[in-house]
Amino acid sequence: MDRGPLFRCVLLPEDRAGPLRLEYYLLTDDALFDGGSLEVYGVEILLYRSGVQKPEIARLRGITPLGRRILDILQQLSDGAVTPSALGEVMDSILARG
């Protein structure tokens, strides 16, 4: 699967396992309807840990068709250093606020 453009990379200080790197990506899909299409945006988060070859990954597709809204969401996620395991819960909170 192709990864969308990188929105932001966040480096976290070392913990017991070493430094952590979070990458936040913009996902774009085409929603097809009645012969037309609309771009719908989502997010993907990758968490890299020292000494672990494969990153932890979480993605949510089809969040919004609004470019400005998804960029705001990506900013909130990266500012909060949201990890893949917390993505669902945090997105529920963000979307509930409108």
Side-chain angles (χ1 to χ4, degrees):
M1 179 172 117
D2 290 335
R3 184 157 286 119
L6 177 64
F7 175 79
R8 187 172 175 196
C9 182
V10 175
L11 301 175
L12 299 178
E14 290 194 31
D15 66 3
R16 292 177 298 212
L20 303 175
R21 186 175 85 229
L22 288 159
E23 294 179 355
Y24 299 85
Y25 291 89
L26 170 66
L27 301 178
T28 304
D29 293 302
D30 288 323
L32 304 175
F33 59 94
D34 293 330
S37 68
L38 175 70
E39 285 189 336
V40 182
Y41 304 105
V43 300
E44 181 176 57
I45 302 174
L46 279 69
L47 170 62
Y48 292 91
R49 298 177 187 276
S50 290
V52 178
Q53 286 189 341
K54 290 191 175 191
E56 181 182 331
I57 301 172
R59 68 182 59 93
L60 288 175
R61 296 186 168 280
I63 296 170
T64 181
L66 304 174
R68 186 179 239 348
R69 177 76 170 128
I70 199 64
L71 294 177
D72 180 56
I73 288 169
L74 280 162
Q75 189 68 53
Q76 290 179 60
L77 294 173
S78 60
D79 284 350
V82 173
T83 63
S85 62
L87 178 59
E89 184 178 332
V90 172
M91 278 304 304
D92 287 345
S93 175
I94 290 172
L95 295 175
R97 288 186 300 227

